[in-house]
Amino acid sequence: MVDETQSGRPSPESRRQQILDAACERVRQSGFHGASMADIAKAAGLSVGQIYRYFENKEAIIAAIVAQDLAEMRDKFAEMESRPGTLGDAIDEHLPEGVDKCFDQRRAALALEVVAEAARNPKVAAIVREADQQERALARTMMERDRKPEWSEDEFQARCEVIGLIFDGLLMRAVNHPDLNREALTAVLRSTIRHLLS
């Protein structure tokens, strides 16, 4: 449902979301290079001029897409941190949902397009690396809860990084092996993450 102002027109927030949804769909189908501003405007049912009122260029659209993912991750981490018990317990509870999200073909396709564009485009690389730095800071804060005193700073950072690369890698597996048995995978991941936290 589109949020509307008192005048009956869509609010700026809902219009931005309309554009982002259209951009995500076009990028999934054609990649960032193939998704022109005209294509995005057509998919959103708007003119190119209307798109430029909300986003300066495609990099600004990418930044907004990345920011949405980061906000969702921040909410999920906050939910996990509020759960009583150990971090391992919280991960056990949320792991099946996390695996399912990684195996969502639409989500995986978009995430991989963003990473591929970051490998080519320094402006997008800066956006992605800034978001990754924030994600790592969130994960580190959460993992501090179960940090072992014998871990050096380097080891602690490496354990955080390995957990991150597991989920990054799941996006690739979603594309390469979408029919993987997720129940069995989740069981092995649970054991692996427990080991990394122990």
Side-chain angles (χ1 to χ4, degrees):
M1 182 176 178
V2 175
D3 293 332
E4 294 185 350
T5 61
Q6 289 183 346
S7 66
R9 294 179 181 167
S11 68
E13 294 77 17
S14 66
R15 185 66 87 195
R16 279 176 57 86
Q17 191 59 53
Q18 178 184 352
I19 294 166
L20 288 178
D21 291 344
C24 289
E25 191 55 41
R26 292 305 307 153
V27 166
R28 286 185 197 102
Q29 293 176 7
S30 307
F32 279 107
H33 285 288
S36 68
M37 291 297 257
D39 291 333
I40 293 168
K42 184 177 179 181
L46 302 170
S47 70
V48 173
Q50 286 174 301
I51 301 289
Y52 282 115
R53 285 182 204 159
Y54 295 92
F55 297 100
E56 181 182 356
N57 49 37
K58 279 202 286 188
E59 283 85 1
I61 292 176
I62 294 170
I65 291 169
V66 170
Q68 275 190 163
D69 283 349
L70 189 59
E72 184 181 321
M73 180 174 293
R74 189 176 286 111
D75 289 346
K76 180 54 65 178
F77 280 6
E79 182 184 336
M80 291 173 69
E81 281 190 317
S82 68
R83 186 191 186 285
T86 67
L87 175 58
D89 294 334
I91 288 175
D92 280 354
E93 181 181 328
H94 292 278
L95 191 57
E97 176 190 353
V99 170
D100 284 344
K101 279 188 176 180
C102 289
F103 274 81
D104 178 337
Q105 290 291 301
R106 292 165 53 83
R107 187 184 190 96
L110 184 61
L112 294 175
E113 279 293 341
V114 170
V115 171
E117 186 64 16
R120 294 185 290 259
N121 183 329
K123 290 180 182 177
V124 176
I127 292 165
V128 169
R129 287 170 186 162
E130 172 63 26
D132 185 73
Q133 184 177 0
Q134 291 182 51
E135 288 175 17
R136 282 185 282 115
L138 288 169
R140 179 190 173 95
T141 298
M142 189 168 65
M143 285 185 66
E144 286 279 5
R145 187 163 137 187
D146 287 4
R147 183 173 179 171
K148 302 298 182 287
E150 64 270 19
W151 293 348
S152 67
E153 179 61 21
D154 286 342
E155 181 176 356
F156 177 61
Q157 287 187 19
R159 286 174 184 262
C160 293
E161 196 70 25
V162 170
I163 290 176
L165 69 85
I166 286 171
F167 287 96
D168 287 349
L170 282 176
L171 294 168
M172 185 72 76
R173 301 312 302 156
V175 173
N176 292 343
H177 192 183
D179 299 325
L180 187 62
N181 183 323
R182 291 186 211 173
E183 187 175 340
L185 176 67
T186 300
V188 173
L189 281 175
R190 185 172 283 122
S191 172
T192 302
I193 292 172
R194 283 275 187 182
H195 175 72
L196 287 166
L197 296 173
S198 65

